[in-house]
């Protein structure tokens, strides 16, 4: 004889069993999701408050304008023989290193500038976006706004910098990153990385590149 009320079903029995704690087993609270913070790129002014901002205008890249600093190299026909328009390299002071380096977008500010005394350097960007490089000739002892030039470097070319040429970059505001092919020596970044810091001069400052391409 059945009691009055709802007849137990298989689903009801399973639900009751699932709601009962199992003897001897500790029930852990559900894990709380912690959002991962996204690091936004900061300008030189934001990362180093108190620096005086100086602006420097970028110019379009031409072989003539870049000549004091190195060479602009473009595509060539297959089987063309080596001549003076090819990159004139000096890799004699060590083992060459040719690699792809991924650089994140850091904006168009810079606080220091670098040169390599022992090697020429080639840089070219992959993709279809321009990028920027500040330059001073190898004969310059103290880079300044009076002796520096900034170039907007388009896709489809690479630049060869003479030994000792000062450079800041590659610099760009977008996309998130650009991959660059780089030719130098295997230990250039260890033993031949000489910097001048504008942020440590008597009038502490940084430079911001102005460009019509921004």
């Amino acid at each position: 004889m059945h009691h009055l009320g709802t007849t137990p079903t298989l689903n009801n029995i399973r639900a009751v069993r699932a709601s009962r704690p199992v003897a001897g087993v500790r029930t852990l609270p559900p894990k709380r999701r912690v959002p991962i913070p996204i690091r936004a790129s900061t300008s030189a002014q934001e990362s180093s408050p108190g620096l005086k901002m100086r602006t420097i205008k970028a110019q379009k890249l031409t072989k003539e304008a870049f000549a004091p600093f190195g060479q602009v190299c473009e595509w060539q026909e297959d089987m063309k023989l080596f001549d003076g328009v090819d990159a004139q390299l000096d890799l004699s002071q060590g083992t060459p290193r040719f690699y792809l380096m991924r650089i994140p977008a850091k904006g168009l500010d810079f606080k220091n500038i670098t040169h390599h005394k022992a090697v020429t350097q080639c840089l070219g960007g992959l993709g279809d976006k321009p990028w920027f490089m500040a330059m001073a000739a190898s004969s310059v002892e103290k880079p300044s706004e009076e002796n520096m030039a900034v170039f907007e470097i388009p896709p489809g070319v690479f630049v060869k910098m003479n030994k000792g040429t000062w450079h800041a970059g590659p610099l760009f505001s977008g996309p998130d990153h650009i991959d660059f092919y780089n030719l130098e020596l295997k230990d250039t970044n260890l033993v031949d990385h000489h910097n001048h810091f504008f942020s440590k001069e008597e009038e502490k400052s940084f430079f911001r590149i102005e460009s019509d391409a921004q």
Side-chain angles (χ1 to χ4, degrees), residues 28-163:
L28 298 176
K31 292 184 177 180
R32 182 181 178 184
R33 290 182 175 271
V34 179
I36 300 174
I38 298 175
R39 179 179 295 178
S41 61
T42 57
S43 69
Q45 189 174 37
E46 292 170 335
S47 61
S48 302
L51 298 182
K52 177 182 177 180
M53 184 180 74
R54 302 179 181 182
T55 59
I56 185 168
K57 181 73 174 178
Q59 58 182 289
K60 296 295 183 181
L61 182 70
T62 67
K63 293 182 178 181
E64 294 75 20
F66 197 79
F69 316 106
Q71 295 173 265
V72 179
C73 298
E74 302 174 301
W75 65 270
Q76 301 181 26
E77 296 289 350
D78 187 27
M79 301 299 292
K80 172 189 164 296
L81 299 180
F82 178 85
D83 59 19
V85 303
D86 288 277
Q88 308 297 306
L89 305 175
D90 185 347
L91 304 169
S92 61
Q93 302 301 307
T95 301
R97 182 189 183 195
F98 182 56
Y99 65 105
L100 282 176
M101 61 180 184
R102 175 161 295 183
I103 296 183
K106 299 176 183 178
L108 300 182
D109 296 350
F110 62 96
K111 296 183 292 185
N112 60 285
I113 192 165
T114 302
H115 71 180
H116 312 307
K117 298 178 180 180
V119 64
T120 55
Q121 184 178 9
C122 295
L123 279 175
L126 301 179
D128 58 357
K129 300 296 183 182
W131 47 282
F132 298 85
M133 184 83 81
M135 319 289 298
S138 58
S139 57
V140 170
E141 294 185 7
K142 184 179 179 181
S144 67
E145 55 191 321
E146 287 77 24
N147 54 39
M148 287 192 303
V150 175
F151 294 95
E152 178 188 341
I153 301 175
V157 304
F158 71 90
V159 294
K160 185 225 78 177
M161 290 174 281
N162 296 332
K163 287 198 302 184

Side-chain angles (χ1 to χ4, degrees), residues 197-208:
F197 293 91
F198 303 106
S199 58
K200 295 181 180 180
E201 293 179 341
E202 183 176 352
E203 186 177 22
K204 298 177 174 59
S205 61
F206 72 95
F207 285 91
R208 175 164 294 172

